[in-house]
Amino acid sequence: MSAIYDRVALIGLGLIAGSMAHALREKGLAREVVGYARSEETRKTAREIGLCDTVYDSAAEAVAKADLVVLAVPVGAMGAVAQDIAPHLAKGTTITDVGSVKQSVIEAVQPHLPEDVHFIPGHPLAGTEHSGPRAGFASLFENRWWLLTPLPDSPAAPVEKLVGLVTAMGAKCDRMEAAHHDLVLAVTSHAPHLIAYTMVGVADHLRRVTDEEVIQYSAAGFRDFTRIAASDPTMWRDVFLHNKEATLDILGRFTEELFTLQRAIRMGDGQQLHDYFTRTRSIRRGIIEAGQDTEAPDFGRGATSGKMP
Amino acid sequence: MSAIYDRVALIGLGLIAGSMAHALREKGLAREVVGYARSEETRKTAREIGLCDTVYDSAAEAVAKADLVVLAVPVGAMGAVAQDIAPHLAKGTTITDVGSVKQSVIEAVQPHLPEDVHFIPGHPLAGTEHSGPRAGFASLFENRWWLLTPLPDSPAAPVEKLVGLVTAMGAKCDRMEAAHHDLVLAVTSHAPHLIAYTMVGVADHLRRVTDEEVIQYSAAGFRDFTRIAASDPTMWRDVFLHNKEATLDILGRFTEELFTLQRAIRMGDGQQLHDYFTRTRSIRRGIIEAGQDTEAPDFGRGATSGKMP
C-alpha cells in the first residue's frame, strides 16, 4: 500500500498508539512514524523495541513537519498536550485523538489549536486490558469500529483522508455527533466497566475472609469481569470524570433495573426472571448477527483451558 | 483408561451432561453411558447425534442397573427427578448432581433417596452460554474445578471413586461444605451473572431509541456481558431462586460499593477512582497466577477479530 500521510506523530505511546505504530509501519501507510511520551521510561522502552522511526524528547519536536498528529493520551491530559503542541503545528496538519470520550476532549483541545489546522476527533473501539508501549500489536483494529466525530466546520478532504487511514489499518469507520457518541459509549462501554470494577472490588473484600477461594474458584462470569477490571486505571478514571453525565444516567437506569430483579428474587417471582433472561439472550444473538463476536461453542473458556499448563 | 463405572445414567441431556457423555466415552471411563431427558425433542436430538449408548423414554429405565446416576437438570427440578428415580435405584448406587447451588439441592433430593445409595452432591465450574444436547464437548471440564460437597455421613470409598471419575475427565477436584460453596459461588458466579443480565437489559431499552447502535458498536466490556447474559434462562432462574440469601447479600454489598464509586464520579474524586481501579487490577493478576486464565495480550478480542468474516 502506498503511504497516505508523510509523517505521523504519535503523542503518547501506550496500547493504542503502539498498535497504530505497528499497523502503520507494517502496511506502509506513512513515510515516517515518530512519537513522544511524557514518561522517560516509556520513551526508553519505545526506543529499545524500535516502536517508531524516531522517539523525541519533546512533543514539539515530534509534531514539527507532521501532516497527521494523533493525541493518544488519557482524556484528562488532552487539553495540556494540545496547548503544548499548538505553536509547533504546520499549516494544514490534521489533528486527531483516540479518546473514549468526545465532547470533553473537543472542549479541552479545540480552543488551543490554530485556525489553519484540521481537528477531527476519533475513537477506535478496540483495546485489551494491557497498557504501555509493549502492549500494542498491528491487528488490534482489524474489523473493529473506529468512530470519527468531525466538527460541524470540518472540511471534507482531510476527513476523507483520515477515513482512508483508519480503514487501511483494518477498521470499519463511521461518523456521528460527539454527544451521541458519548451516550452510546456510556451504555456499551463506560457503565459496564464501572460495574465490572465494582463487582471485582466486592469480591476483593470477601477474598480476605475466604483465603483466596474467590480467586481460586473464579468461574466464567467473574473471570470476564476481572479482565475488564484490569484495564488501565488512569485512562478509566479520566473516562468517568469526563463522561460524567451520561455515565451517571446509565448507572441510574442500571440500579433501577437491578432493584427490580433483586425484588423478583426476594419475592420468588421465577416468571419475571425467566422472561428477563430470555430477552437478554436474544440481544446476544443480535450481536453475533452483527458480526461483533463469534458463536464458537467454547469461545473464551475453551481457549483458556486449552492454553493452560 | 479402564472403565471406572459400569453404567452411568445421565438424567437431563444439556450442555453439562452432553459434555460428560463425550468425555466419558472418549476416555472409556464407563462401560455404558445411558441417558434420559424430559423433553421428547431433546431425546430425539440426542439419539440422532448418538450422544449416549441408549437414550431411554423414562428416567426409571435409565437409572436401572446404573452404578452412577448424574442429575443434570435445572436446580429447581432436582427434587422431582429424585422422587421419580428413587424406587428404581440399585443398592450401592452413587447419585451425584451438577447443580450450581448445593444446599437447596441437598434439601430437595436427600429425603427421597433410599438409605442404601450414596448421594454425593457436586458442581463442575464449567459452562458456556450455549445449552441443549448439541452444546456439549469432551474438553469442557479440562483444567476446570469440580467441587464436591459430600454429606457428613458419606463413606470414603464412593467419594474417592467419584473424585477419580471427575479428575479422569480432566477436572481439578476439591471438597467443601455446601453452605460455604453457595457463598463462594454467589460472589464468583451468581451475582456477576445477575449484574450482566441487568446491564444487557438496560442496553436493550436504549437500543430501541438508538436504532441498534448499541449492538453495532458494542465494545469489549459490553460484549463480555452479553455472552454471560446469553446463558440458559431456566438454569439461571433456578440458581437465583435457590441461592437467594447469599445472592441478595452479595448484591447488597455490590450496590453499596457502586454508590460509593458513583458518588466519586459525581464529586470528581479522581484519586478515589484511581486507587480503586488499581486495586481491582491486582486481583486480575492473582487470577492469572492461580492459573485460572491466560495473559495472552489479545485474549478474547484477538480470537474474535481473527475469526470474523
Side-chain angles (χ1 to χ4, degrees):
Chain A
M1 228 176 279
S2 62
I4 296 176
Y5 289 92
D6 199 51
R7 175 174 163 129
V8 175
L10 304 169
I11 308 301
L13 294 171
L15 168 66
I16 298 292
S19 296
M20 288 185 71
H22 287 297
L24 294 173
R25 298 176 79 189
E26 199 176 292
K27 295 169 195 277
L29 300 174
R31 290 212 308 131
E32 192 183 9
V33 177
V34 303
Y36 164 77
R38 196 182 52 172
S39 140
E40 194 178 326
E41 199 191 324
T42 301
R43 296 198 299 270
K44 189 163 164 273
T45 304
R47 282 177 188 130
E48 265 172 33
I49 63 175
L51 194 62
C52 300
D53 295 312
T54 310
V55 173
Y56 291 97
D57 286 328
S58 77
E61 289 168 281
V63 304
K65 296 181 196 156
D67 51 350
L68 176 65
V69 173
V70 181
L71 308 181
V73 298
V75 166
M78 294 280 183
V81 169
Q83 185 168 24
D84 193 21
I85 63 171
H88 311 281
L89 296 171
K91 186 178 165 181
T93 296
T94 292
I95 324 290
T96 189
D97 76 296
V98 298
S100 306
V101 180
K102 298 273 57 82
Q103 287 179 105
S104 79
V105 168
I106 293 169
E107 282 163 26
V109 169
Q110 180 71 354
H112 297 295
L113 298 181
E115 291 213 343
D116 57 5
V117 302
H118 307 294
F119 179 41
I120 308 167
H123 178 205
L125 305 189
T128 73
E129 71 272 30
H130 298 275
S131 49
R134 293 184 194 276
F137 51 100
S139 63
L140 179 65
F141 310 111
E142 271 171 27
N143 241 309
R144 308 308 304 269
W145 285 101
W146 195 309
L147 304 179
L148 296 179
T149 61
L151 305 179
D153 58 352
S154 297
V159 174
E160 290 303 334
K161 192 167 170 179
L162 185 58
V163 170
L165 185 81
V166 308
T167 53
M169 284 191 290
K172 300 178 285 187
C173 191
D174 214 345
R175 306 174 204 188
M176 59 176 65
E177 281 187 20
H180 188 67
H181 167 279
D182 290 356
L183 178 64
V184 171
L185 268 288
V187 183
T188 57
S189 174
H190 305 168
H193 269 81
L194 194 77
I195 287 161
Y197 276 122
T198 305
M199 189 61 225
V200 173
V202 170
D204 186 38
H205 296 223
L206 259 93
R207 179 170 66 103
R208 292 192 185 118
V209 298
T210 61
D211 197 17
E212 311 252 337
E213 274 177 330
V214 166
I215 282 183
Q216 182 155 9
Y217 302 122
S218 71
F222 186 68
R223 268 214 322 279
D224 289 338
F225 279 39
T226 64
R227 194 170 66 244
I228 300 173
S231 304
D232 185 51
T234 305
M235 173 193 152
W236 282 99
R237 174 199 65 197
D238 283 6
V239 166
F240 296 124
L241 295 180
H242 290 268
N243 198 17
K244 184 191 286 196
E245 297 311 324
T247 303
L248 291 177
D249 173 31
I250 300 301
L251 291 175
R253 292 167 189 250
F254 171 83
T255 314
E256 279 170 30
E257 206 83 355
L258 182 63
F259 284 174
T260 307
L261 290 176
Q262 251 177 266
R263 187 174 177 281
I265 293 174
R266 203 179 294 281
M267 308 299 276
D269 189 342
Q271 192 59 49
Q272 189 183 350
L273 294 172
H274 193 275
D275 291 349
Y276 201 95
F277 302 161
T278 303
R279 209 158 63 237
T280 57
R281 183 175 234 192
S282 71
I283 299 176
R284 172 70 184 171
R285 301 230 164 91
I287 288 178
I288 290 167
E289 281 159 22
Q292 287 290 80
D293 211 336
T294 65
E295 207 175 6
D298 60 344
F299 169 67
R301 288 119 181 135
T304 303
S305 57
K307 281 178 197 161
M308 268 196 283
Chain B
M1 227 175 279
S2 62
I4 296 176
Y5 288 92
D6 200 50
R7 176 175 162 127
V8 175
L10 305 169
I11 308 302
L13 295 171
L15 169 67
I16 298 292
S19 296
M20 287 184 71
H22 287 298
L24 294 173
R25 299 176 79 191
E26 198 177 293
K27 294 169 196 278
L29 300 174
R31 290 212 306 132
E32 193 183 7
V33 177
V34 303
Y36 164 77
R38 197 183 52 174
S39 139
E40 194 179 326
E41 199 191 323
T42 301
R43 296 197 298 270
K44 188 163 165 273
T45 303
R47 284 178 186 127
E48 265 173 32
I49 63 174
L51 194 62
C52 301
D53 295 312
T54 310
V55 173
Y56 291 97
D57 285 328
S58 76
E61 291 169 280
V63 304
K65 297 180 194 157
D67 51 350
L68 176 65
V69 173
V70 181
L71 308 181
V73 298
V75 166
M78 294 280 183
V81 169
Q83 186 169 22
D84 193 20
I85 63 170
H88 310 282
L89 295 171
K91 185 180 166 181
T93 296
T94 292
I95 324 289
T96 190
D97 76 296
V98 297
S100 305
V101 181
K102 297 274 56 81
Q103 287 178 106
S104 79
V105 168
I106 293 169
E107 283 163 26
V109 168
Q110 181 70 355
H112 297 295
L113 299 180
E115 291 213 343
D116 58 4
V117 302
H118 308 294
F119 179 41
I120 308 167
H123 178 205
L125 306 189
T128 73
E129 70 273 29
H130 299 274
S131 48
R134 293 184 193 276
F137 52 99
S139 64
L140 179 64
F141 310 112
E142 270 173 27
N143 241 309
R144 309 306 304 271
W145 285 100
W146 195 309
L147 305 179
L148 296 179
T149 62
L151 306 179
D153 59 351
S154 296
V159 174
E160 290 303 335
K161 192 168 169 180
L162 185 59
V163 170
L165 185 81
V166 307
T167 53
M169 285 191 290
K172 299 177 285 185
C173 192
D174 213 344
R175 305 174 206 189
M176 60 175 66
E177 282 187 18
H180 188 66
H181 166 280
D182 290 355
L183 177 65
V184 171
L185 268 288
V187 183
T188 57
S189 174
H190 305 169
H193 269 81
L194 194 77
I195 287 161
Y197 277 121
T198 305
M199 189 62 225
V200 173
V202 170
D204 185 36
H205 296 220
L206 260 93
R207 181 170 63 103
R208 292 193 183 117
V209 297
T210 60
D211 197 16
E212 311 252 338
E213 273 176 331
V214 166
I215 282 184
Q216 181 155 11
Y217 301 123
S218 70
F222 186 68
R223 268 213 324 279
D224 289 338
F225 279 37
T226 63
R227 194 169 68 243
I228 300 172
S231 305
D232 185 50
T234 305
M235 172 193 153
W236 282 99
R237 174 199 66 197
D238 283 6
V239 166
F240 297 125
L241 295 181
H242 290 267
N243 198 17
K244 184 192 285 197
E245 298 310 323
T247 303
L248 291 176
D249 172 32
I250 301 301
L251 291 175
R253 292 168 190 250
F254 171 84
T255 314
E256 281 170 28
E257 205 84 356
L258 182 63
F259 284 175
T260 306
L261 290 177
Q262 251 177 266
R263 186 174 178 281
I265 294 174
R266 203 179 295 279
M267 308 298 276
D269 189 342
Q271 192 59 50
Q272 189 184 349
L273 295 172
H274 193 275
D275 291 349
Y276 201 96
F277 302 161
T278 303
R279 211 160 61 237
T280 57
R281 183 175 232 191
S282 71
I283 298 176
R284 172 71 183 169
R285 302 229 164 90
I287 288 178
I288 290 167
E289 281 158 24
Q292 287 290 80
D293 211 336
T294 64
E295 208 175 5
D298 59 343
F299 169 66
R301 289 119 180 135
T304 304
S305 57
K307 280 178 199 163
M308 270 195 284

